[in-house]
């Protein structure tokens, strides 16, 4: 037997492993089962590669044995095992000269954003056992070795290593557990119920059977025979032809906690230099917290069927937060505790492919399953449209699966492709209007001229619509144009000539009204967008809409007041009467009340708020009194 002393920095690293690296003590069992699973994989591959290697691969398994009386937990596999050199190089890595460099990197990364070194690079996953054990014993034997090796340490200053004659093939790690300490979140790991819970969470889908071997009688009433406690049913690893719809539905309930059946199942497999599999689901109903800030989002992440984390946000963007499922990678950049993903090229590539797969699935659903698509869009359309702002790379793909209400059909929604197909030959823009509801938009005076001339208008009533329309340049070469902002060109050449004459005729009235309403509007002008209403209020092409302005103010952002433009219908009797009265009488002060009412009515007609309702009521009362 050799007794070796840890270097001073190695002792520091052990303390770091025990107290700082892992946030959840349960993960020690994940590390041991994961190592055991790797050992079984390596033995099977080595058996295929080296036909002279005499190994039995007919019953590969992992056993977990608990002994409540002795307070021990043993994880045993009959895999490849280790030679003495392997033990020194792998388990003893922590005592080698690279420790100081590793410790330096951990310290640096902790100061930045947490430990960033990869699991296995320094062989530190095994040392998570010292979070829960006072002493750890490892006995292992490689098929090519005549003797086994026994390693033991208390995680303090020394460890021992010696040869043993009667060690079975494989590796057994025995933990002499610390006392239960509820204040330190240290549960009883000799409880078979706790072991089952951890295995179910972290190792339910690994290839090999994980068997629970009960300790002495009286241990939670478990039977004497070993029982397999992991399902091994990794549906994503089985051919789709061998998986039933009921199995998919059951698995969806498992990962989503949603008792409804999924709307659509998405399978994906990537092979080559970077391999991973994905089994994703589109829910049939939006969760209650879809638009809550504190909601959980993301898919479950596995590496070689070992569970790593729930709600992996790095693999699914915010606007697809409703997608549920599993991504299982063969290799992935994780931090030393395997609790945080690294931001690297592999993650970015996986995310990009997963997003494209989800969007293409929805597009296929739109064509082949219109009823399912209608359900999807009703439940998740508002969230998907957030991607038009956040995901410029996939903006065209998102636009292609969007549906909107429009003036073309009071019942059915339309896609942008259908809108463009119905556009008039000389139409250059995709017209839209935002509002609180369809009724508000359809009753708006802004629609009058477009409806009269047969132009279709998209009716956008989701809150997100106020934001994405300004950031999206267009669709299929056609730009989006708000009918409530800027100039809307609907006139023929003859009508433009007549409009020019009217502008000259109304020039003095418009200039006076602009001055009279200077505190409320930036300009008063004539318009061609009205047919039956006397006036409307519009914004400049790049102004914030009133709704968006309210949203920013509600979020606590102070904005300078946005003055809008008052447009007059030169053919309306009220406007022509105002024009005639202005021309007849040089004292225009008596017309100021009429001008204020005209502006107030325009605000009310679009569903807006009056700046001073009491003042408006007084002016209206005075005018009504004079008519009696």
């Amino acid at each position: 037997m050799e007794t070796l002393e840890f270097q001073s920095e190695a002792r520091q690293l052990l303390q770091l492993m025990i107290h700082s690296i892992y946030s959840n003590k349960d993960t020690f069992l994940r590390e041991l089962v994961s190592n055991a699973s790797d050992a079984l994989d390596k033995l099977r591959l080595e058996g295929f590669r080296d036909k002279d290697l005499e190994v039995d691969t007919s019953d590969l398994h992992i056993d977990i044995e608990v002994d409540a009386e002795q307070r021990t937990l043993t994880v045993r596999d009959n895999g490849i095992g280790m030679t003495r050199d392997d033990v020194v190089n792998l388990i003893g890595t922590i005592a080698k000269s690279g420790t100081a460099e590793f410790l330096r990197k951990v310290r640096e990364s902790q100061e930045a954003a947490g430990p960033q070194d990869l699991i296995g690079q320094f062989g530190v996953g095994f040392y998570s056992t010292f979070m829960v054990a006072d002493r750890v014993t490892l006995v292992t034997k490689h098929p090519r070795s005549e003797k086994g090796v026994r390693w033991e340490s208390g995680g303090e200053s020394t460890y021992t290593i010696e040869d043993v004659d009667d060690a079975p093939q494989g590796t057994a790690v025995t933990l002499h557990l610390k006392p239960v300490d509820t204040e330190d979140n240290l549960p009883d790991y000799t409880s078979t119920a706790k072991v089952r819970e951890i295995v179910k969470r972290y190792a339910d889908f690994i290839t090999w059977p994980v068997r629970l071997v009960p300790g002495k009688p009286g241990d939670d009433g478990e039977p004497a025979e070993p029982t397999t406690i992991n399902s091994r049913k990794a549906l994503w690893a089985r051919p789709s032809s061998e998986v039933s719809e009921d199995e998919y539905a059951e698995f969806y309930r498992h990962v989503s906690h949603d008792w409804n059946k999924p709307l659509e199942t998405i399978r994906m497999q990537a092979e080559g230099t970077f391999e991973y599999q994905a089994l994703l689901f589109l829910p049939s109903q939006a969760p209650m917290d879809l638009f809550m800030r504190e909601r959980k989002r993301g898919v479950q992440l596995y590496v070689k069927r070992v569970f790593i984390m729930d709600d992996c946000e790095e693999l699914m963007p915010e606007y697809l937060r409703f997608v549920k499922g599993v991504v299982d990678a063969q290799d992935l950049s994780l931090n030393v505790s395997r609790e945080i993903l690294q931001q690297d090229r592999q993650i970015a590539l996986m995310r990009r492919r997963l997003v494209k797969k989800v969007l293409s699935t929805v597009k296929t659903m739109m064509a082949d399953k219109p009823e399912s698509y209608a359900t999807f869009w009703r439940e998740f359309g508002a969230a998907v449209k957030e991607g038009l702002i956040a995901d410029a790379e996939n903006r065209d793909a998102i636009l292609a699966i969007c549906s909107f209400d429009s003036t073309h059909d009071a019942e059915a929604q339309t896609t942008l492709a259908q809108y463009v197909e119905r556009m008039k030959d000389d139409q250059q823009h995709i017209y839209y209007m935002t509002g609180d509801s369809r009724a508000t938009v359809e009753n708006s005076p802004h629609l009058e001229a477009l409806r009269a001339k047969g132009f279709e208008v998209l009716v956008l009533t989701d809150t997100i619509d106020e934001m994405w329309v300004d950031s999206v340049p267009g669709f299929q070469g056609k730009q989006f144009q708000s009918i409530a902002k800027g100039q809307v060109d609907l006139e023929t050449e003859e009508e433009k000539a007549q409009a020019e004459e009217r502008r000259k005729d109304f020039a003095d009235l418009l200039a006076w009204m602009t001055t009279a309403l200077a505190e409320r509007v930036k300009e008063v002008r004539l318009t061609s967008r009205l047919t039956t209403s006397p006036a409307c209020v519009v914004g400049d092409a790049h102004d914030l809409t009133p709704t968006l302005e309210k949203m920013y103010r509600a979020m606590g952002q102070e904005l300078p007041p946005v003055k809008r433009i008052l447009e007059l219908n030169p053919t309306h009797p009220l406007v022509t009467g105002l024009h005639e009265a202005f021309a007849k009488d040089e004292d225009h002060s008596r017309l100021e009340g009429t001008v204020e009412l005209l502006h107030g009515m325009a605000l009310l007609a679009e569903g807006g708020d009056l700046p001073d309702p009491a003042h408006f009521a007084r002016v209206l009362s005075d005018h009504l009194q004079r008519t009696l």
Side-chain angles (χ1 to χ4, degrees), residues 163-298:
D163 293 338
V164 291
D165 295 327
D166 56 350
Q169 176 189 304
T171 301
V173 181
T174 300
L175 280 60
H176 302 268
L177 297 167
K178 295 178 180 179
V180 176
D181 187 347
T182 54
E183 292 184 0
D184 192 33
N185 294 319
L186 189 63
D188 183 6
Y189 290 110
T190 65
S191 164
T192 54
K194 183 63 178 176
V195 172
R196 286 177 179 273
E197 173 196 325
I198 299 173
V199 171
K200 184 71 175 176
R201 177 169 176 78
Y202 291 108
D204 197 38
F205 303 118
I206 66 171
T207 307
W208 311 109
V210 179
R211 307 188 312 188
L212 181 61
V213 182
K216 294 183 178 181
D219 182 22
D220 289 5
E222 287 290 333
E225 292 297 320
T227 55
T228 301
I229 57 176
N230 63 325
S231 71
R232 305 172 63 192
K233 294 181 178 179
L235 299 189
W236 60 86
R238 292 162 53 187
S240 56
S241 59
E242 296 180 6
V243 185
S244 68
E245 290 299 319
D246 288 341
E247 286 180 300
Y248 280 133
E250 180 183 355
F251 186 75
Y252 168 72
R253 287 192 289 269
H254 171 73
V255 298
S256 69
H257 310 294
D258 177 8
W259 291 102
N260 297 304
K261 287 186 176 181
L263 187 65
E264 192 71 20
T265 301
I266 304 172
R267 291 194 58 151
M268 184 176 178
Q269 182 164 338
E271 297 179 344
T273 55
F274 180 52
E275 298 183 3
Y276 63 91
Q277 295 169 307
L279 177 57
L280 307 177
F281 300 94
L282 300 181
S284 57
Q285 186 174 353
M288 297 291 290
D289 62 350
L290 183 63
F291 294 101
M292 293 182 182
R293 180 178 298 180
E294 64 275 9
R295 72 196 170 277
K296 297 287 187 180
R297 68 177 178 89

Side-chain angles (χ1 to χ4, degrees), residues 34-106:
S34 180
N35 290 343
S37 177
D38 287 344
L40 296 175
D41 287 334
K42 290 175 183 177
L43 180 67
R44 186 176 62 173
L45 292 174
E46 191 69 10
F48 286 139
R49 190 185 66 82
D50 186 356
K51 300 301 182 184
D52 295 330
L53 188 67
E54 296 182 2
V55 292
D56 181 8
T57 60
S58 62
D59 183 28
L60 299 180
H61 58 268
I62 301 166
D63 282 347
I64 301 176
E65 182 177 343
V66 293
D67 188 329
E69 185 175 307
Q70 297 296 323
R71 289 205 53 76
T72 61
L73 182 148
T74 301
V75 177
R76 181 181 293 107
D77 68 74
N78 55 349
I80 192 67
M82 290 179 281
T83 65
R84 188 183 181 101
D85 288 342
D86 290 335
V87 173
V88 172
N89 291 329
L90 297 176
I91 304 301
T93 300
I94 198 166
K96 296 180 69 176
S97 59
T99 303
E101 177 68 11
F102 169 73
L103 190 58
R104 183 185 65 79
K105 289 183 178 181
V106 168

Side-chain angles (χ1 to χ4, degrees), residues 456-469:
E456 182 179 353
V457 179
L458 298 179
V459 180
L460 308 182
T461 56
D462 287 330
T463 304
I464 190 64
D465 293 330
E466 296 281 355
M467 305 179 72
W468 72 260
V469 288

Side-chain angles (χ1 to χ4, degrees), residues 93-136:
T93 300
I94 198 166
K96 296 180 69 176
S97 59
T99 303
E101 177 68 11
F102 169 73
L103 190 58
R104 183 185 65 79
K105 289 183 178 181
V106 168
R107 283 173 175 164
E108 288 177 356
S109 58
Q110 273 191 324
E111 291 174 2
Q116 300 294 313
D117 293 281
L118 307 187
I119 186 70
Q121 184 174 350
F122 293 90
V124 294
F126 169 80
Y127 285 87
S128 64
T129 54
F130 287 106
M131 292 189 297
V132 301
D134 291 320
R135 182 162 49 94
V136 177

Side-chain angles (χ1 to χ4, degrees), residues 317-391:
E318 177 81 12
Y319 69 94
L320 295 179
R321 55 187 174 272
F322 51 84
V323 175
K324 301 297 181 183
V326 166
V327 176
D328 184 11
Q330 289 302 302
D331 189 20
L332 207 56
S333 296
L334 304 168
N335 76 332
V336 68
S337 66
R338 302 212 291 188
E339 295 175 346
I340 304 172
L341 272 180
Q342 304 283 58
Q343 289 295 335
D344 67 0
R345 193 182 68 83
Q346 290 180 341
I347 298 300
L349 181 62
M350 286 175 64
R351 177 185 173 116
R352 190 177 300 119
R353 289 179 177 174
L354 291 170
V355 169
K356 290 185 182 299
K357 182 65 174 179
V358 171
L359 296 179
S360 65
T361 298
V362 175
K363 189 173 183 180
T364 302
M365 188 194 308
M366 177 188 282
D368 299 341
K369 303 177 181 177
E371 291 184 1
S372 294
Y373 167 77
T375 299
F376 169 82
W377 193 253
R378 181 181 67 250
E379 298 291 327
F380 304 107
V384 171
K385 285 187 284 188
E386 294 173 14
L388 295 172
I389 303 170
D391 190 357

